[in-house]
């Protein structure tokens, strides 16, 4: 996944702020998915937070070379999270 | 943990809304802990959400018999989360 | 997911051994998926364990009424895990 | 945690094999802890795997400078996992 690709690329791809953001993103996605699966009444808050982190992640990936696929994936994930946050 | 104790007790302890709330609580705690460990700039939002779910969990446990230890644990966790949400 | 469906059905669906097995299965799948994504050299052991738990889960679901979809899903997951355990 | 410290240190601390090993270790610990909490009949296999990964992690940290605290933590975790793997 993104983390593994970035480790191989090294340099700015493993800069602390960038890499930490990707770990945050993975954790936020995992939590949002778990709450969706659990039909949680708190899913909207988690999906909204997850969407925000995915957007920040897309912006951070956009500053690096060769991460177009990552940027697209983060944006799609952000949109999916926003749609789920808006659903009952 | 709470989930396992409730499974053994059965009855209202495995009522869908109660049990789902406990699964949500476990997921929220896990995510908040992961973000704290990662020194995440998003930790405050996750800790605040986690505190809210812990308080709801305490209230749900309070309606059942013999869950005093659980209620206390949920309240302590909520306080710890609020303290972490307020820290930089 | 399975957990949520079983909570709604109640009775034998929330029997401690059955329900615990499903929580184990969810955790094992989560760990196996995380290690696959991480290109982990330990993925084979985790996928093998996950396959075993999925098969046990299928057998446990088979003893209950109306869980045919669950049984199928657990078996498919077990096969996928076995295939991944055998891959380098 | 280890991941965050290594990100700040950079260089060999973010070498793919080392860093991946630490992510594996975090996932293995998380899964082992979840199964212990769930009183899982599969806890021994997970704790044994986790102990092995912790020992590999200690060895990998030992090759880097200034990671004595990490090495100690990994060894203690490996011992705790072995003790839990041996318990019923």
């Amino acid at each position: 996944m993104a983390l593994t690709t970035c480790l191989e690329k090294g340099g700015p791809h493993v800069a602390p702020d960038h890499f930490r953001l990707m770990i945050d993103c993975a954790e936020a996605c995992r939590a949002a998915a778990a709450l969706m699966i659990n039909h949680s009444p708190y899913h909207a808050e988690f999906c909204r937070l997850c969407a925000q982190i995915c957007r920040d992640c897309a912006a951070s990936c956009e500053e690096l070379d060769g991460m177009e696929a990552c940027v697209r994936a983060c944006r799609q994930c952000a949109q999916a999270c926003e749609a789920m946050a808006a659903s009952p």
Side-chain angles (χ1 to χ4, degrees), chain A:
Chain A
M1 76 169 157
L3 293 181
T4 273
T5 308
C6 282
L7 280 176
E8 297 294 350
K9 287 178 183 261
H13 295 272
V14 292
D17 284 353
H18 176 67
F19 208 83
R20 219 175 255 148
L21 181 51
M22 286 192 306
I23 295 177
D24 284 350
C25 196
E27 293 292 346
C29 288
R30 200 190 275 221
L35 268 74
M36 285 305 291
I37 283 171
N38 196 33
H39 297 185
S40 166
Y42 307 99
H43 78 275
E45 285 93 333
F46 276 86
C47 288
R48 209 169 297 129
L49 260 175
C50 191
Q52 177 195 341
I53 298 179
C54 286
R55 275 192 306 265
D56 293 349
C57 212
S60 178
C61 290
E62 217 165 19
E63 291 171 24
L64 300 171
D65 282 339
M67 302 305 284
E68 290 74 18
C70 250
V71 172
R72 263 196 310 277
C74 288
R75 292 224 173 106
Q76 284 172 354
C77 192
Q79 285 174 0
C81 284
E82 277 158 14
M84 290 187 290
S87 74

